[in-house]
Amino acid sequence: MVTPIAIVAGVGPGTGAAVARRFAKAYPVVLMARNPDNYNSLVDEINKSGGKAIGISTDVSSSDSVKSAFGKIDQEFPGAGAAAAVFNASGRFARKPLLELTEEDMVASWEVSCKGAFLFSQSTLPLLLKTASDASTKYPPTLIFTGATASVKSNARMASFSTAKYAMRALSQSIAREFAPQGVHVAHAIIDGVIDIPRTKEWLKDMPPEAKISADGIAETYWNLHTQPKTTFTNEIDIRPMLEKW
Amino acid sequence: MVTPIAIVAGVGPGTGAAVARRFAKAYPVVLMARNPDNYNSLVDEINKSGGKAIGISTDVSSSDSVKSAFGKIDQEFPGAGAAAAVFNASGRFARKPLLELTEEDMVASWEVSCKGAFLFSQSTLPLLLKTASDASTKYPPTLIFTGATASVKSNARMASFSTAKYAMRALSQSIAREFAPQGVHVAHAIIDGVIDIPRTKEWLKDMPPEAKISADGIAETYWNLHTQPKTTFTNEIDIRPMLEKW
Amino acid sequence: MVTPIAIVAGVGPGTGAAVARRFAKAYPVVLMARNPDNYNSLVDEINKSGGKAIGISTDVSSSDSVKSAFGKIDQEFPGAGAAAAVFNASGRFARKPLLELTEEDMVASWEVSCKGAFLFSQSTLPLLLKTASDASTKYPPTLIFTGATASVKSNARMASFSTAKYAMRALSQSIAREFAPQGVHVAHAIIDGVIDIPRTKEWLKDMPPEAKISADGIAETYWNLHTQPKTTFTNEIDIRPMLEKW
Amino acid sequence: MVTPIAIVAGVGPGTGAAVARRFAKAYPVVLMARNPDNYNSLVDEINKSGGKAIGISTDVSSSDSVKSAFGKIDQEFPGAGAAAAVFNASGRFARKPLLELTEEDMVASWEVSCKGAFLFSQSTLPLLLKTASDASTKYPPTLIFTGATASVKSNARMASFSTAKYAMRALSQSIAREFAPQGVHVAHAIIDGVIDIPRTKEWLKDMPPEAKISADGIAETYWNLHTQPKTTFTNEIDIRPMLEKW
């Protein structure tokens, strides 16, 4: 029997942390972020509260860094399979008029949201397939991508972000179609609204709390996607707070 | 404190029954179908197993019949609010070349999927709003519509079905936008594939079980939608079995 | 050789009239509206300026009325085929909160936009097929449906309109898929914005003229769709003025 | 008065050449391709038949190369504005299982379809704006992107292509929204099917000619988009041959 673990890329103080906490209730979790400050305290928190977590400093846009990270996973959890992998990383966000956008702005966004998602997928899919082929697995192994409003709507001055997010959605759909017949459940979540995290504390201040999305709510929804059986895969979901206009 | 109940329209041997069983674990349930044969044994089953259920013979396409049904609900559960309402009814399905479709085919499909969904919504929304305004409510009251592949793709010879299903999706989106600010969670589910029910037993016989959607899986997904907090509403979800081509 | 005519349903002072004028440059045109006041002066105008037009008072939501109208077409143009048919009718529009919408509001909208479009399609398709099978035909026969923003976005308080418009889009797509292999070109136009007609004169008054859609512009776009060859069918197009937010 | 020119990037023996020929009837045209073999004979053909054309060897994925190309345009047509710019380039296409895709495959596709489209847009938009501000301009200046089925559907083993094409569609929509108020018309064309060009001669051989899209048909449709007035902008269009399944 394969040891199933959960891998979360893009752990900061918001969705990534909430997802890690939620999946840590069921699996050892691997937390990835470029800056260890983004996961260190959470790793401690999970390990102290009876879970198992490790953090790996990873630049998802670098194939060397991603390979190295998965090498460490293999050392730490030899022969493990992945029960879940969540790609939650996002690149630098340049909201600029098109004529002021730089090539670097375009590249920076794509490098994380599309290339990073691709590299992460290539490294996690073999681990997800290993879990899929293990008859004792409780839930189908699940690969989830965190998208945004900009995954389906490309507004003025959002081109660097939306091109990368549209691309990530395409990646998710292609992988979903290719790997579902092998039992891997792939889902793309359109997070449509402001997530309630320290960085957005001052946003929408005059609105009630239901104007922002709860990171824990997202995490619970991701967990529920993970528990869907092979007969009932959801490949795309939208999530917004009750006061969001759409 | 309002007594929260769940109301399921369109109870047959498939999704409707599964949804009723799932929500009966938490709430008294009202089962609606035109033909009592479609719910009688399930009502017994739920009542015998510690739940509470009543069945009401209802033609959702008739405003008189719907009004009468909600009158009975009020008699049976005076002052109750709705925790959840699921519209799962579907009209007669005429797969025909366009030139052979009759006006009656078009009407029959619309009468259930669009007008029926409208009448059901008008009667359940006051009950859902009552629950929404009750601070002791555990989960935001939820109105779920069961859609199909034909809700988003309109193939040749499917016009009577797809026009009605597109219309129901429009209804769902409009209600979602109007009532979310009042705390009602509205979701539309695109059921993309063959549901595994007695009627479809002979379909896809040469395929493994993962070629069909599990009605229980749909019910569990609906329940999970219901448990989403006000900060985290999903308004549309797709559901397909792992072997479905899409 | 078949005499090709153009048939426009829903002729008022806006899009329908502009479309009729444009197609009258190439074909005899049949104008349909419930109230002859909507087409009488236009019929005169076209006939005086060297074209050929007739008007037929038609209620597109009534199969008897539609049948009678096509009977008159056959009398007036015996053996004619249709080069183009444009469904431009729209039902009564009730912008109301959902709980105030009546069953009649829902029906009235659907009767025109969906049932009317269906009846019109059933009567025009045989005429379009006749033209398609005539090797001397210059352009593939074309069936165009006039949609709206509400064909793809269903806002709060728009349910009566959007359910009918979503349904019409489904109808268009199903017919497009069924009849393209026989050479009939079906297109759906999403008219996204306010059309510049007498009724909307006071709307957007503080904006420049580019805030509204030109009916003549729509007509020219429809004509251009009509001229596409069999190798190059457009099935959906959006149209908005340059100052429209979308 | 500004001299309006047309600029076509991605000129090969198919759509690009047809578009160049069509726009050369009205404007001097600039043809861009990496390999001059792709445009040399066409430049001759246009110049000999009374038009005006120049070819510029350009790698659209290189900002230096694009800058250099637009420097040459300025030398050749000093002070010119752009009446139309068509981005028709496409990167290397790697149809592979996801686990066999290389980072280079992903980059190569994005470099042309997204970064190239971005660089081309940044260089053409000032020229398009110049035309937009010239009151004597006949048609609103137009920027058209050639998309594909993979711009809206991401199939298995298509990830390198579809991620780049989804991204290009996002780019097109963002630019459309930002620049429409300044009078620039931006359109994205979903080319859904096999284009009838020398390279695809052996494809669909057993099918009638209506199974493939005509490059000339696309060019005519692009021209028709270009002639739309400011009141009537189409931002997205699909194009498929009559025998295409969709």
Side-chain angles (χ1 to χ4, degrees):
Chain A
M1 188 190 142
V2 164
T3 304
I5 63 171
I7 305 168
V8 183
V11 173
T15 309
V19 169
R21 261 187 212 100
R22 181 62 189 84
F23 282 75
K25 293 186 192 174
Y27 306 113
V29 290
V30 177
L31 313 194
M32 295 181 178
R34 251 198 312 209
N35 185 345
D37 290 349
N38 275 326
Y39 55 70
N40 275 338
S41 62
L42 180 59
V43 166
D44 285 352
E45 177 196 318
I46 291 172
N47 284 323
K48 277 176 189 159
S49 58
K52 162 84 180 149
I54 64 168
I56 303 176
S57 168
T58 314
D59 175 357
V60 291
S61 70
S62 153
S63 60
D64 286 347
S65 178
V66 172
K67 265 178 211 151
S68 158
F70 280 84
K72 279 176 200 154
I73 291 175
D74 193 47
Q75 284 183 315
E76 191 74 23
F77 304 100
V86 177
F87 187 80
N88 188 59
S90 224
R92 185 156 53 77
F93 186 158
R95 188 193 292 260
K96 293 180 185 174
L98 191 98
L99 296 178
E100 293 175 20
L101 269 182
T102 65
E103 188 177 327
E104 288 67 35
D105 292 328
M106 294 294 286
V107 170
S109 193
W110 180 82
E111 286 262 313
V112 175
S113 292
C114 184
K115 196 178 82 176
F118 165 72
L119 294 172
F120 181 77
S121 300
Q122 279 203 324
S123 288
T124 55
L125 278 163
L127 301 181
L128 292 160
L129 288 168
K130 193 186 284 185
T131 308
S133 64
D134 179 349
S136 69
T137 295
K138 188 164 181 192
Y139 303 122
T142 311
L143 174 58
I144 301 177
F145 297 90
T146 300
T149 316
S151 302
V152 289
K153 186 165 186 207
S154 178
N155 284 325
R157 301 200 288 171
M158 297 287 282
S160 71
F161 189 59
S162 63
T163 52
K165 285 292 192 182
Y166 271 54
M168 192 179 81
R169 184 168 177 250
L171 179 73
S172 170
Q173 293 173 344
S174 182
I175 299 176
R177 288 180 165 105
E178 183 176 347
F179 289 91
Q182 299 171 65
V184 179
H185 178 187
V186 180
H188 177 260
I190 300 165
I191 309 294
D192 183 22
V194 174
I195 304 175
D196 189 8
I197 53 176
R199 185 170 60 83
T200 62
K201 204 179 165 185
E202 298 301 306
W203 304 12
L204 306 177
K205 266 184 80 168
D206 303 333
M207 301 275 286
E210 290 81 14
K212 290 185 188 169
I213 306 173
S214 144
D216 288 339
I218 296 174
E220 194 64 30
T221 293
Y222 282 15
W223 176 259
N224 287 337
L225 289 172
H226 173 53
T227 64
Q228 288 185 311
K230 292 178 184 181
T231 52
T232 320
F233 280 176
T234 288
N235 295 120
E236 189 156 84
I237 198 171
D238 55 15
I239 292 173
R240 56 181 64 85
M242 74 176 230
L243 295 179
E244 186 72 19
K245 291 266 182 207
W246 58 289
Chain B
M1 190 189 142
V2 164
T3 304
I5 63 171
I7 307 167
V8 183
V11 173
T15 308
V19 168
R21 262 188 211 99
R22 181 62 188 84
F23 282 75
K25 293 186 192 175
Y27 306 112
V29 291
V30 177
L31 313 193
M32 293 180 180
R34 250 196 313 205
N35 185 346
D37 290 348
N38 275 326
Y39 56 69
N40 274 339
S41 63
L42 180 58
V43 166
D44 285 351
E45 176 196 318
I46 290 172
N47 285 322
K48 278 176 189 158
S49 59
K52 162 86 181 143
I54 64 167
I56 304 175
S57 168
T58 315
D59 175 357
V60 291
S61 69
S62 152
S63 59
D64 285 345
S65 178
V66 172
K67 263 178 214 152
S68 155
F70 281 84
K72 280 176 201 155
I73 292 176
D74 193 46
Q75 285 183 314
E76 190 75 24
F77 304 101
V86 177
F87 187 80
N88 188 60
S90 226
R92 186 154 54 78
F93 186 158
R95 187 192 293 259
K96 293 182 185 173
L98 192 96
L99 296 178
E100 294 175 18
L101 270 181
T102 64
E103 190 178 325
E104 287 66 35
D105 292 328
M106 294 294 287
V107 170
S109 194
W110 180 82
E111 286 263 313
V112 175
S113 292
C114 184
K115 196 178 82 175
F118 165 72
L119 295 172
F120 182 77
S121 300
Q122 279 203 325
S123 288
T124 55
L125 278 163
L127 301 181
L128 292 160
L129 287 168
K130 193 186 285 186
T131 308
S133 63
D134 178 351
S136 69
T137 296
K138 190 165 181 191
Y139 302 121
T142 310
L143 172 59
I144 302 178
F145 297 90
T146 299
T149 315
S151 303
V152 289
K153 188 167 187 206
S154 177
N155 284 326
R157 301 200 286 169
M158 296 287 280
S160 71
F161 190 59
S162 63
T163 50
K165 285 292 193 181
Y166 271 53
M168 192 180 79
R169 183 168 178 250
L171 179 73
S172 169
Q173 293 173 345
S174 182
I175 299 176
R177 288 180 165 107
E178 184 176 346
F179 290 91
Q182 298 170 68
V184 178
H185 178 188
V186 180
H188 177 259
I190 300 165
I191 309 296
D192 183 22
V194 174
I195 305 176
D196 189 8
I197 53 175
R199 185 171 59 83
T200 63
K201 205 180 166 186
E202 299 299 307
W203 304 13
L204 307 175
K205 266 184 82 171
D206 304 334
M207 302 276 286
E210 291 82 13
K212 290 186 189 168
I213 306 174
S214 144
D216 288 339
I218 296 174
E220 194 64 30
T221 293
Y222 282 14
W223 176 258
N224 287 336
L225 289 173
H226 174 53
T227 64
Q228 289 186 311
K230 291 178 185 182
T231 53
T232 320
F233 280 175
T234 288
N235 296 119
E236 190 158 82
I237 198 171
D238 55 14
I239 292 173
R240 55 181 66 83
M242 74 177 230
L243 295 178
E244 185 72 19
K245 292 267 182 207
W246 58 288
Chain C
M1 189 190 142
V2 164
T3 304
I5 62 170
I7 305 167
V8 183
V11 173
T15 308
V19 169
R21 263 188 210 99
R22 181 62 188 86
F23 282 74
K25 293 185 192 175
Y27 306 113
V29 292
V30 176
L31 312 194
M32 293 180 179
R34 250 195 313 206
N35 184 347
D37 291 347
N38 276 327
Y39 56 69
N40 275 337
S41 62
L42 180 59
V43 166
D44 285 350
E45 177 196 319
I46 291 172
N47 285 323
K48 279 175 188 157
S49 59
K52 163 85 181 144
I54 64 166
I56 303 175
S57 168
T58 315
D59 174 358
V60 292
S61 69
S62 151
S63 59
D64 286 345
S65 177
V66 172
K67 263 178 214 153
S68 156
F70 281 83
K72 281 176 200 155
I73 292 176
D74 193 46
Q75 286 183 313
E76 189 76 23
F77 305 101
V86 176
F87 187 81
N88 188 59
S90 226
R92 186 155 54 78
F93 185 157
R95 188 193 292 261
K96 293 182 186 173
L98 192 96
L99 296 178
E100 295 175 19
L101 270 181
T102 63
E103 189 177 327
E104 286 67 34
D105 292 328
M106 295 293 288
V107 170
S109 192
W110 180 82
E111 286 262 313
V112 176
S113 292
C114 183
K115 196 179 82 175
F118 165 73
L119 295 172
F120 181 77
S121 300
Q122 278 203 327
S123 288
T124 56
L125 278 163
L127 301 182
L128 293 160
L129 288 168
K130 193 185 286 185
T131 307
S133 64
D134 178 349
S136 70
T137 296
K138 190 165 182 191
Y139 303 121
T142 310
L143 173 58
I144 301 178
F145 297 90
T146 300
T149 316
S151 303
V152 289
K153 188 167 187 207
S154 178
N155 283 326
R157 301 199 287 169
M158 297 287 281
S160 71
F161 189 60
S162 62
T163 51
K165 285 293 192 180
Y166 271 54
M168 191 180 79
R169 184 169 178 248
L171 179 74
S172 170
Q173 294 173 345
S174 182
I175 298 176
R177 289 180 165 105
E178 183 176 347
F179 289 91
Q182 298 170 68
V184 179
H185 178 187
V186 181
H188 177 259
I190 300 165
I191 309 295
D192 182 23
V194 173
I195 304 176
D196 190 7
I197 53 175
R199 186 171 57 85
T200 62
K201 205 180 166 187
E202 298 300 306
W203 304 12
L204 306 175
K205 266 185 82 171
D206 304 333
M207 302 275 286
E210 292 82 12
K212 291 185 189 167
I213 307 174
S214 144
D216 288 338
I218 296 174
E220 195 63 31
T221 293
Y222 283 13
W223 176 260
N224 287 337
L225 289 172
H226 174 53
T227 65
Q228 290 186 311
K230 291 179 184 180
T231 53
T232 320
F233 280 175
T234 287
N235 296 119
E236 190 158 81
I237 198 171
D238 55 15
I239 291 174
R240 55 180 66 83
M242 74 176 230
L243 295 179
E244 185 72 19
K245 293 269 183 205
W246 57 289
Chain D
M1 188 190 144
V2 165
T3 305
I5 62 171
I7 306 167
V8 183
V11 174
T15 309
V19 169
R21 260 188 213 99
R22 182 62 187 85
F23 282 75
K25 293 185 192 175
Y27 306 113
V29 290
V30 177
L31 312 194
M32 295 181 178
R34 251 198 311 209
N35 185 346
D37 290 349
N38 275 327
Y39 55 70
N40 275 337
S41 62
L42 180 59
V43 166
D44 285 352
E45 177 195 319
I46 291 171
N47 285 322
K48 277 175 189 158
S49 58
K52 162 84 180 146
I54 65 168
I56 303 176
S57 167
T58 315
D59 175 357
V60 291
S61 69
S62 152
S63 59
D64 286 347
S65 178
V66 172
K67 265 177 210 151
S68 157
F70 280 84
K72 279 175 201 154
I73 291 175
D74 193 47
Q75 284 184 316
E76 191 74 23
F77 304 100
V86 176
F87 188 80
N88 188 59
S90 225
R92 185 156 53 78
F93 186 157
R95 188 192 292 260
K96 292 180 186 174
L98 191 98
L99 296 178
E100 293 175 21
L101 269 182
T102 64
E103 188 177 329
E104 288 67 35
D105 291 329
M106 294 294 286
V107 170
S109 193
W110 180 82
E111 286 262 315
V112 175
S113 292
C114 184
K115 195 178 82 175
F118 165 72
L119 295 171
F120 181 77
S121 300
Q122 279 204 324
S123 289
T124 55
L125 278 164
L127 301 181
L128 293 160
L129 288 168
K130 192 185 286 185
T131 308
S133 64
D134 179 349
S136 68
T137 296
K138 189 164 180 192
Y139 303 121
T142 310
L143 173 59
I144 300 178
F145 297 90
T146 300
T149 316
S151 302
V152 289
K153 186 164 187 208
S154 178
N155 284 326
R157 300 199 288 170
M158 296 288 281
S160 71
F161 190 59
S162 63
T163 52
K165 285 292 193 183
Y166 271 54
M168 192 180 80
R169 183 168 178 250
L171 179 73
S172 170
Q173 293 174 344
S174 182
I175 298 176
R177 289 181 166 105
E178 184 176 347
F179 289 91
Q182 298 171 67
V184 179
H185 179 187
V186 180
H188 177 259
I190 300 165
I191 309 296
D192 183 23
V194 173
I195 304 175
D196 189 8
I197 53 176
R199 184 170 59 82
T200 62
K201 205 179 165 185
E202 298 300 307
W203 304 13
L204 307 175
K205 267 184 80 170
D206 303 333
M207 301 276 286
E210 291 81 14
K212 290 184 190 170
I213 306 173
S214 145
D216 288 339
I218 296 174
E220 195 63 30
T221 294
Y222 283 14
W223 177 258
N224 287 337
L225 290 173
H226 173 53
T227 65
Q228 289 185 312
K230 292 179 185 182
T231 51
T232 320
F233 280 177
T234 287
N235 296 120
E236 190 157 81
I237 198 171
D238 55 14
I239 292 173
R240 56 181 65 84
M242 73 176 229
L243 295 178
E244 185 72 19
K245 292 266 183 207
W246 57 289

